[in-house]
Amino acid sequence: MSMTTPIVDFVQNYAKSGTSRLHMPGHKGQALLGFEGLDITEIRGADELYEADGIIAQSEANATRLFGTAHTYYSTEGSSQCIRAMLCLAMQAAPAGQRPVLLAARNAHKALLYAAALLDLDIQWLWPAPDAAGALCSCPVTEAQLAAALDRLAGQGRTPFGVYLTSPDYLGGMQDIAALAKVCDAHGVPLLVDNAHGAYLNFLVGGSRHPIALGAAMCCDSGHKTLPVLTGGAYLHLGPKAPVQEETAVRNALALFGSTSPSYLILQSLDRCNRYLSEGYPLRLYSCCGQLARMRRVLNEQAAAAGCPLPLAVDAPAREPLKLTLDAAALGMTGTALAEALRQDRIECEYADPRYVVLMFTPENPAQDYERLEAAVARLCAALPSAPALPEPEADVFTELAAEAAPVCTVRQAVFAPQEVVPAETALGRVCAMPTVSCPPAIPIVVSGERIGPAALKLFARYGIKNVAVLK
Ligand SMILES: Cc1ncc(COP(=O)(O)O)c(C=O)c1O
């Protein structure tokens, strides 16, 4: 029997019913853009997202079965909302009496910082090891490093209310969630994962690589990033180890950070996605991962034949299979120049920085997208004047950054304090107010409340950051 779509069915029946819409929204179902007929509010029978016991609860139950979680909740406001709710719940479960502290890998999206400001929590950072080459974007955490950090905090009498990891990261790197979950279990601390980029990981044919399947207590997934879900559609997943299981508590935590008018277009999209996932998706995903593995091989062969000194497509078994990350240095280019060259061939990337270009594929991409990319890279390789030189090794600014990053006030104090925006190159010694100074999208170089040091200034220049909000 095919999977039910109770939200889609309800809204479609309502749209066909010809009922006079004497309720919000103001468009009354009349088409300006074309989809207004399906955009409703919480009328009778439509259930309520934050007190669900009808069609939304039924649809979430379908998602819960599909993801194999203890309970999956919908969000219409992205992983950002789920991250806030997840931290709020973990904080509620922690023993009272001490300032809440979270142990988090430093490659966190700024949504974590916004949550820290709203929830007034402290963060102890896990930094990439000096030999873990690469930018802040990838912050591989080892079991030993995590255990040592947890022991150190325990020694200070500060048990963190959670360990927070971002995996997959923006460049496609993944943490060893299964191993790190065991360390968290041994220390009695819940593992919370920002899995915004990995909703599809539960459906891999070789076995789930989803954080809940690997032992995390809770995680968020942006359905909209890798599944055919409208922008804003996301999941908050609770595993059996989530420290709060009570449904009302979870819905209240989500409601605290959400609008009272959740989008029914997004809810229908999440609902319809359940059927999509249940109808042959794993095989389509398998085929897509296979095509991408082949594409990485082909691009690297093309680049090697053109004399490129490095592999063009970043490749390793532990990486996230749907991201195609190109190392533009292989072609003697910057990531932004490579992205511009691809744009000329009508290929729009997800992200580009001085070194990398990230391309995101799903089973929805037509064959033409693969063909275009292969042809574009072949043209770039053919046009190389001579074999590019190996890029100069980048100075390890991140170790310097880790050494200089010390908070002078809490994230909340910094975010809510009087502030001003100054040119980045004049910000030395000032205290960062807003975490909008990002290297790979939205990963703060300096966190609110930290004093801006020389390493941060170098990274502002590297990532083209022009202005910084600092405390007055
Ligand atoms: C790693 C990571 N976490 C969280 C978010 C926030 O997700 P959303 O846009 O669904 O709110 C993003 C968005 O890009 C992200 O890249």
Side-chain angles (χ1 to χ4, degrees):
M1 203 180 73
S2 84
M3 176 150 283
T4 59
T5 52
I7 307 177
V8 172
D9 299 349
F10 176 87
V11 178
Q12 285 189 347
N13 287 335
Y14 185 68
K16 280 193 221 127
S17 70
T19 305
S20 297
R21 297 189 183 210
L22 302 185
H23 57 74
M24 296 180 260
H27 54 61
K28 306 300 173 185
Q30 302 301 316
L32 286 179
L33 292 167
F35 48 70
E36 287 85 349
L38 300 176
D39 181 39
I40 64 161
T41 186
E42 292 168 321
I43 54 172
R44 174 169 312 187
D47 208 0
E48 287 188 41
L49 181 57
Y50 301 119
E51 288 182 46
D53 60 5
I55 55 173
I56 295 175
Q58 289 158 23
S59 182
E60 285 180 344
N62 286 342
T64 299
R65 274 195 301 281
L66 280 164
F67 281 91
T69 60
H71 203 138
T72 290
Y73 295 85
Y74 288 161
S75 156
T76 57
E77 292 169 68
S79 282
S80 303
Q81 182 191 18
C82 300
I83 288 167
R84 290 166 198 155
M86 174 164 78
L87 293 168
C88 176
L89 289 165
M91 265 171 71
Q92 282 170 357
Q98 56 168 243
R99 244 190 97 66
V101 60
L102 179 73
L103 189 58
R106 180 71 177 208
N107 64 337
H109 184 267
K110 66 182 172 192
L112 170 63
L113 276 305
Y114 293 151
L118 294 171
L119 293 163
D120 195 14
L121 56 92
D122 292 339
I123 306 176
Q124 287 274 329
W125 296 106
L126 290 160
W127 289 85
D131 57 349
L136 256 195
C137 185
S138 299
C139 181
V141 175
T142 63
E143 293 158 75
Q145 193 188 3
L146 178 59
L150 284 164
D151 290 340
R152 202 166 42 247
L153 272 171
Q156 296 162 8
R158 290 193 85 185
T159 303
F161 68 86
V163 167
Y164 184 96
L165 300 174
T166 303
S167 174
D169 64 42
Y170 221 94
L171 295 182
M174 290 182 72
Q175 303 279 6
D176 186 347
I177 297 291
L180 297 170
K182 286 195 186 118
V183 177
C184 289
D185 291 346
H187 286 77
V189 177
L191 176 59
L192 315 172
V193 180
D194 174 349
N195 183 51
H197 290 252
Y200 73 95
L201 292 170
N202 189 52
F203 304 95
L204 292 171
V205 165
S208 174
R209 290 173 70 193
H210 191 268
I212 297 295
L214 299 179
M218 290 189 268
C219 78
C220 66
D221 302 356
S222 298
H224 67 91
K225 289 194 200 301
T226 58
L227 298 177
V229 168
L230 289 181
T231 297
Y235 308 97
L236 174 62
H237 300 291
L238 270 64
K241 294 186 213 156
V244 174
Q245 296 284 349
E246 221 248 306
E247 184 172 336
T248 310
V250 182
R251 294 205 188 277
N252 285 345
L254 283 160
L256 190 58
F257 302 107
S259 163
T260 52
S261 305
S263 161
Y264 270 78
L265 292 174
I266 297 174
L267 288 174
Q268 285 168 82
S269 175
L270 287 163
D271 187 40
R272 181 63 184 82
C273 185
N274 289 337
R275 182 174 288 169
Y276 168 91
L277 292 173
S278 71
E279 288 181 344
Y281 174 68
L283 282 182
R284 291 197 298 282
L285 178 63
Y286 179 72
S287 155
C288 179
C289 294
Q291 274 174 288
L292 285 167
R294 183 197 147 273
M295 176 65 88
R296 287 185 194 95
R297 246 187 345 266
V298 168
L299 297 188
N300 285 340
E301 280 163 15
Q302 283 177 347
C308 296
L310 292 168
L312 174 59
V314 182
D315 205 359
R319 290 178 59 79
E320 187 214 318
L322 283 192
K323 277 212 179 77
L324 184 52
T325 302
L326 302 180
D327 182 354
L331 299 170
M333 301 170 87
T334 63
T336 32
L338 176 55
E340 192 45 47
L342 294 177
R343 209 163 279 131
Q344 301 307 315
D345 281 311
R346 288 187 296 152
I347 297 167
E348 188 58 40
C349 70
E350 166 62 26
Y351 159 75
D353 74 9
R355 178 86 187 240
Y356 297 102
V357 174
V358 174
L359 306 168
M360 288 175 75
F361 284 82
T362 74
E364 306 313 306
N365 285 98
Q368 169 185 271
D369 296 348
Y370 295 85
E371 288 153 15
R372 262 193 199 157
L373 178 62
E374 213 173 305
V377 169
R379 267 195 296 279
L380 286 168
C381 287
L384 282 178
S386 57
L390 263 180
E392 286 289 311
E394 278 177 352
D396 178 16
V397 192
F398 297 102
T399 307
E400 231 184 287
L401 185 71
E404 77 187 17
V408 295
C409 64
T410 69
V411 174
R412 184 181 177 88
Q413 283 165 341
V415 164
F416 291 110
Q419 42 190 273
E420 61 183 336
V421 175
V422 300
E425 67 275 12
T426 67
L428 189 65
R430 304 292 298 269
V431 177
C432 175
M434 296 303 286
T436 46
V437 283
S438 321
C439 68
I443 298 169
I445 293 168
V446 186
V447 160
S448 309
E450 286 176 355
R451 199 174 291 288
I452 297 167
L457 240 54
K458 283 183 214 160
L459 286 166
F460 291 165
R462 186 186 288 177
Y463 288 101
I465 287 156
K466 303 263 180 303
N467 296 309
V468 191
V470 293
L471 299 200
K472 270 192 175 160

